[in-house]
mmCIF file of all heavy atoms in Angstrom:
data_model
loop_
_atom_site.group_PDB
_atom_site.id
_atom_site.type_symbol
_atom_site.label_atom_id
_atom_site.label_comp_id
_atom_site.label_asym_id
_atom_site.label_seq_id
_atom_site.Cartn_x
_atom_site.Cartn_y
_atom_site.Cartn_z
ATOM 1 N N LEU A 143 -15.626 -3.227 9.678
ATOM 2 C CA LEU A 143 -14.736 -3.492 8.560
ATOM 3 C C LEU A 143 -14.862 -4.922 8.091
ATOM 4 O O LEU A 143 -14.927 -5.206 6.877
ATOM 5 C CB LEU A 143 -13.291 -3.203 8.972
ATOM 6 C CG LEU A 143 -12.200 -3.600 7.965
ATOM 7 C CD1 LEU A 143 -12.297 -2.732 6.711
ATOM 8 C CD2 LEU A 143 -10.812 -3.487 8.582
ATOM 9 N N LYS A 144 -14.943 -5.852 9.013
ATOM 10 C CA LYS A 144 -15.071 -7.279 8.666
ATOM 11 C C LYS A 144 -16.362 -7.562 7.917
ATOM 12 O O LYS A 144 -16.384 -8.311 6.944
ATOM 13 C CB LYS A 144 -14.989 -8.101 9.957
ATOM 14 C CG LYS A 144 -14.953 -9.599 9.742
ATOM 15 C CD LYS A 144 -14.775 -10.310 11.070
ATOM 16 C CE LYS A 144 -14.877 -11.809 10.925
ATOM 17 N NZ LYS A 144 -14.719 -12.498 12.234
ATOM 18 N N ASP A 145 -17.456 -6.920 8.356
ATOM 19 C CA ASP A 145 -18.735 -7.093 7.656
ATOM 20 C C ASP A 145 -18.671 -6.547 6.235
ATOM 21 O O ASP A 145 -19.212 -7.153 5.300
ATOM 22 C CB ASP A 145 -19.856 -6.385 8.440
ATOM 23 C CG ASP A 145 -20.187 -7.098 9.733
ATOM 24 O OD1 ASP A 145 -19.845 -8.292 9.859
ATOM 25 O OD2 ASP A 145 -20.787 -6.461 10.624
ATOM 26 N N GLU A 146 -18.025 -5.404 6.054
ATOM 27 C CA GLU A 146 -17.889 -4.812 4.720
ATOM 28 C C GLU A 146 -17.091 -5.728 3.799
ATOM 29 O O GLU A 146 -17.452 -5.902 2.624
ATOM 30 C CB GLU A 146 -17.210 -3.448 4.818
ATOM 31 C CG GLU A 146 -18.085 -2.371 5.488
ATOM 32 C CD GLU A 146 -17.336 -1.068 5.669
ATOM 33 O OE1 GLU A 146 -16.114 -1.026 5.414
ATOM 34 O OE2 GLU A 146 -17.971 -0.072 6.088
ATOM 35 N N ILE A 147 -16.022 -6.301 4.306
ATOM 36 C CA ILE A 147 -15.182 -7.201 3.489
ATOM 37 C C ILE A 147 -15.961 -8.463 3.148
ATOM 38 O O ILE A 147 -15.884 -8.977 2.015
ATOM 39 C CB ILE A 147 -13.876 -7.529 4.228
ATOM 40 C CG1 ILE A 147 -12.983 -6.291 4.293
ATOM 41 C CG2 ILE A 147 -13.156 -8.694 3.563
ATOM 42 C CD1 ILE A 147 -11.697 -6.478 5.068
ATOM 43 N N ALA A 148 -16.744 -8.965 4.105
ATOM 44 C CA ALA A 148 -17.550 -10.176 3.845
ATOM 45 C C ALA A 148 -18.601 -9.896 2.776
ATOM 46 O O ALA A 148 -18.820 -10.725 1.880
ATOM 47 C CB ALA A 148 -18.215 -10.634 5.141
ATOM 48 N N THR A 149 -19.220 -8.741 2.846
ATOM 49 C CA THR A 149 -20.259 -8.392 1.863
ATOM 50 C C THR A 149 -19.667 -8.237 0.466
ATOM 51 O O THR A 149 -20.275 -8.655 -0.529
ATOM 52 C CB THR A 149 -20.947 -7.069 2.267
ATOM 53 O OG1 THR A 149 -21.520 -7.214 3.580
ATOM 54 C CG2 THR A 149 -22.020 -6.682 1.280
ATOM 55 N N ALA A 150 -18.471 -7.648 0.379
ATOM 56 C CA ALA A 150 -17.825 -7.437 -0.918
ATOM 57 C C ALA A 150 -17.127 -8.682 -1.445
ATOM 58 O O ALA A 150 -16.668 -8.700 -2.587
ATOM 59 C CB ALA A 150 -16.796 -6.300 -0.803
ATOM 60 N N GLY A 151 -17.020 -9.739 -0.638
ATOM 61 C CA GLY A 151 -16.356 -10.954 -1.065
ATOM 62 C C GLY A 151 -14.846 -10.845 -0.986
ATOM 63 O O GLY A 151 -14.127 -11.657 -1.587
ATOM 64 N N GLY A 152 -14.347 -9.854 -0.294
ATOM 65 C CA GLY A 152 -12.900 -9.659 -0.159
ATOM 66 C C GLY A 152 -12.587 -8.198 0.029
ATOM 67 O O GLY A 152 -13.448 -7.325 -0.139
ATOM 68 N N ASN A 153 -11.353 -7.922 0.430
ATOM 69 C CA ASN A 153 -10.951 -6.527 0.619
ATOM 70 C C ASN A 153 -10.766 -5.825 -0.715
ATOM 71 O O ASN A 153 -10.102 -6.326 -1.610
ATOM 72 C CB ASN A 153 -9.644 -6.442 1.430
ATOM 73 C CG ASN A 153 -8.511 -7.248 0.821
ATOM 74 O OD1 ASN A 153 -8.663 -8.415 0.486
ATOM 75 N ND2 ASN A 153 -7.358 -6.620 0.664
ATOM 76 N N VAL A 154 -11.397 -4.651 -0.853
ATOM 77 C CA VAL A 154 -11.290 -3.864 -2.088
ATOM 78 C C VAL A 154 -9.951 -3.148 -2.135
ATOM 79 O O VAL A 154 -9.267 -3.118 -3.171
ATOM 80 C CB VAL A 154 -12.452 -2.863 -2.191
ATOM 81 C CG1 VAL A 154 -12.307 -2.000 -3.440
ATOM 82 C CG2 VAL A 154 -13.795 -3.595 -2.200
ATOM 83 N N GLN A 155 -9.568 -2.548 -1.008
ATOM 84 C CA GLN A 155 -8.254 -1.896 -0.924
ATOM 85 C C GLN A 155 -7.225 -2.968 -0.561
ATOM 86 O O GLN A 155 -7.289 -3.578 0.494
ATOM 87 C CB GLN A 155 -8.278 -0.804 0.151
ATOM 88 C CG GLN A 155 -9.070 0.418 -0.210
ATOM 89 C CD GLN A 155 -8.413 1.218 -1.328
ATOM 90 O OE1 GLN A 155 -7.201 1.166 -1.491
ATOM 91 N NE2 GLN A 155 -9.194 1.935 -2.081
ATOM 92 N N PRO A 156 -6.214 -3.183 -1.437
ATOM 93 C CA PRO A 156 -5.242 -4.258 -1.162
ATOM 94 C C PRO A 156 -4.311 -3.900 -0.001
ATOM 95 O O PRO A 156 -4.040 -2.728 0.265
ATOM 96 C CB PRO A 156 -4.467 -4.372 -2.471
ATOM 97 C CG PRO A 156 -4.593 -3.035 -3.123
ATOM 98 C CD PRO A 156 -5.955 -2.523 -2.727
ATOM 99 N N ILE A 157 -3.858 -4.922 0.683
ATOM 100 C CA ILE A 157 -2.795 -4.741 1.658
ATOM 101 C C ILE A 157 -1.465 -4.801 0.911
ATOM 102 O O ILE A 157 -1.432 -5.010 -0.295
ATOM 103 C CB ILE A 157 -2.852 -5.819 2.754
ATOM 104 C CG1 ILE A 157 -2.459 -7.195 2.174
ATOM 105 C CG2 ILE A 157 -4.222 -5.888 3.384
ATOM 106 C CD1 ILE A 157 -2.290 -8.274 3.231
ATOM 107 N N LYS A 158 -0.362 -4.618 1.623
ATOM 108 C CA LYS A 158 0.941 -4.704 0.985
ATOM 109 C C LYS A 158 1.806 -5.652 1.784
ATOM 110 O O LYS A 158 1.813 -5.626 3.024
ATOM 111 C CB LYS A 158 1.623 -3.324 0.910
ATOM 112 C CG LYS A 158 2.820 -3.285 -0.028
ATOM 113 C CD LYS A 158 3.269 -1.848 -0.261
ATOM 114 C CE LYS A 158 4.291 -1.771 -1.395
ATOM 115 N NZ LYS A 158 4.681 -0.388 -1.694
#
Side-chain angles (χ1 to χ4, degrees):
L143 173 67
K144 186 176 174 181
D145 289 341
E146 291 175 352
I147 290 177
T149 302
N153 55 310
V154 177
Q155 289 291 333
I157 69 171
K158 194 169 191 177

